[in-house]
Amino acid sequence: MGFPWKFPHELARCLYSAGLSASVFWNDLNAEIGTAGVLIERACTRYDLVDNPRLGDMPFMEAGSGGVRPPDRLGERPAILWNGPSGFYPNGTDPLPSVVDDGVEWQSAETAVTSFLRPSAEREEGIPTFLDLLVGSLVELADTLPLRAQDLHDAPWRGEAAALPQRALRQVYDNMIYLATWADTLDAACKRFLEVVDWYTKNFYEMVDPHRPYWDELLDLGTTADSRARTFLRTANPLFLEVLDMIPPPLTENLPGLMVVDEDLTRLRSEIKYRKEYDSAALNRYDGRQWLEESEKLLQGREAAERTYG
């Protein structure tokens, strides 16, 4: 972006981060669905689940640290590259950057013009297009998942081991609807932002240019180039604030945690314990306290997944 004051830049950064959050959640959601499918496939052949219905861990890291190999089915499934669950899987919140309007009082017409670069706001690419595709894919998934869950329900498979995957699929479905609604709200904010950017770029030089012809100056009734510049920026601020109000609250996952393995619990417990015992200075800062609060919430979600699914 090339605006002469900070607010639109921070707003663009916030929208971009929100789009990345949606992408991360979408990855976790799809991986969780795939995990549920493989677990169900495995569980159908395990009679030991009658006595102990917990489904157990899956060895995700068979391909080593460079990639992940899903459990093979008849040796036909190829290895895929995947970095594993996100840092806020299965129940964390991805905070959005703060947006602060620092005002326009220090701007002059000359600094506004020389610091302005026409922003690139291609509608064919970027976050709005991605969000449109994401919402479409979620609607398609939402139409398909209940049918697969019904197939599972109709199968000759009963007991707690059969109920656990159904419970997981319902929770995945709720997350799917939540993400679709969230992404659609963000999509509207992004598109409104691009509309404001279009309005701004089309009117900027006409309203702010300090080198306008003399007869235009006569029509300005005593205003100066600097006052016109600040008036224009003040007019733009409420439009950008409108976009800020449209951004949904931070995205929070609430997935079953089928991808949680024992190593995740051990690693997170050790990191929290180390921070509490040896890094008190960091925990006295706001970002340190925020990290601890979010990490303990993640640990609770992963422990709950371990108790439920094994």
Side-chain angles (χ1 to χ4, degrees):
M1 311 304 291
F3 296 102
W5 82 114
K6 290 181 180 179
F7 182 45
H9 296 271
E10 294 179 340
L11 185 58
R13 182 167 53 92
C14 186
L15 290 168
Y16 183 73
S17 295
L20 290 181
S21 297
S23 175
V24 168
F25 194 170
W26 185 78
N27 288 334
D28 283 347
L29 187 61
N30 279 275
E32 192 86 321
I33 292 171
T35 306
V38 176
L39 282 170
I40 292 168
E41 184 180 87
R42 281 186 167 189
C44 287
T45 64
R46 287 177 50 192
Y47 294 98
D48 62 300
L49 291 176
V50 175
D51 298 321
N52 180 14
R54 299 202 310 164
L55 300 175
D57 291 345
M58 293 175 56
F60 283 107
M61 301 308 293
E62 291 176 2
S65 59
V68 176
R69 185 183 184 85
D72 291 336
R73 180 172 185 244
L74 304 179
E76 297 173 352
R77 186 173 298 159
I80 60 170
L81 291 178
W82 180 56
N83 293 325
S86 72
F88 59 103
Y89 170 87
N91 65 330
T93 300
D94 198 23
L96 296 177
S98 59
V99 179
V100 179
D101 179 12
D102 64 337
V104 299
E105 298 307 321
W106 56 274
Q107 281 286 359
S108 67
E110 195 63 46
T111 59
V113 171
T114 55
S115 64
F116 174 68
L117 301 173
R118 185 175 295 273
S120 175
E122 295 294 334
R123 295 180 183 276
E124 292 75 23
E125 300 176 357
I127 288 176
T129 301
F130 159 72
L131 290 172
D132 286 339
L133 295 173
L134 184 146
V135 172
S137 74
L138 289 170
V139 170
E140 184 177 351
L141 274 174
D143 289 340
T144 303
L145 193 64
L147 300 178
R148 301 288 76 79
Q150 186 62 43
D151 291 342
L152 181 62
H153 179 269
D154 295 339
W157 185 29
R158 298 292 181 267
E160 180 65 12
L164 280 177
Q166 288 278 23
R167 185 190 310 172
L169 290 178
R170 280 195 294 271
Q171 191 170 349
V172 167
Y173 183 82
D174 289 342
N175 277 260
M176 201 182 300
I177 299 302
Y178 165 71
L179 178 58
T181 304
W182 193 93
D184 192 54
T185 303
L186 178 63
D187 189 37
C190 289
K191 288 173 178 174
R192 178 56 181 158
F193 178 75
L194 292 180
E195 291 173 357
V196 177
V197 169
D198 284 347
W199 171 85
Y200 184 96
T201 54
K202 288 175 182 176
N203 291 280
F204 179 81
Y205 286 105
E206 179 182 347
M207 303 292 293
V208 175
D209 188 358
H211 307 297
R212 300 198 313 170
Y214 174 73
W215 50 87
D216 284 350
E217 294 286 342
L218 292 178
L219 298 176
D220 287 330
L221 302 176
T223 61
T224 65
D226 291 345
S227 67
R228 288 198 310 274
R230 287 190 286 270
T231 297
F232 177 73
L233 298 183
R234 289 193 199 99
T235 303
N237 257 350
L239 301 179
F240 284 119
L241 280 167
E242 176 187 324
V243 176
L244 180 61
D245 291 338
M246 294 174 68
I247 298 176
L251 197 61
T252 300
E253 289 192 0
N254 184 30
L255 290 167
L258 301 178
M259 293 182 283
V260 171
V261 295
D262 295 338
E263 290 80 0
D264 293 338
L265 291 169
T266 302
R267 189 182 310 111
L268 189 54
R269 284 191 188 113
S270 298
E271 192 170 359
I272 291 174
K273 181 180 178 182
Y274 176 85
R275 291 286 188 97
K276 286 182 174 179
E277 292 182 357
Y278 302 108
D279 201 5
S280 58
L283 297 181
N284 286 330
R285 299 195 305 268
Y286 173 75
D287 58 342
R289 293 193 301 272
Q290 190 178 44
W291 175 90
L292 180 62
E293 179 181 341
E294 191 63 28
S295 296
E296 289 181 331
K297 180 182 175 184
L298 287 176
L299 182 59
Q300 291 174 4
R302 292 176 185 177
E303 288 175 336
E306 175 65 19
R307 288 192 300 271
T308 304
Y309 301 105

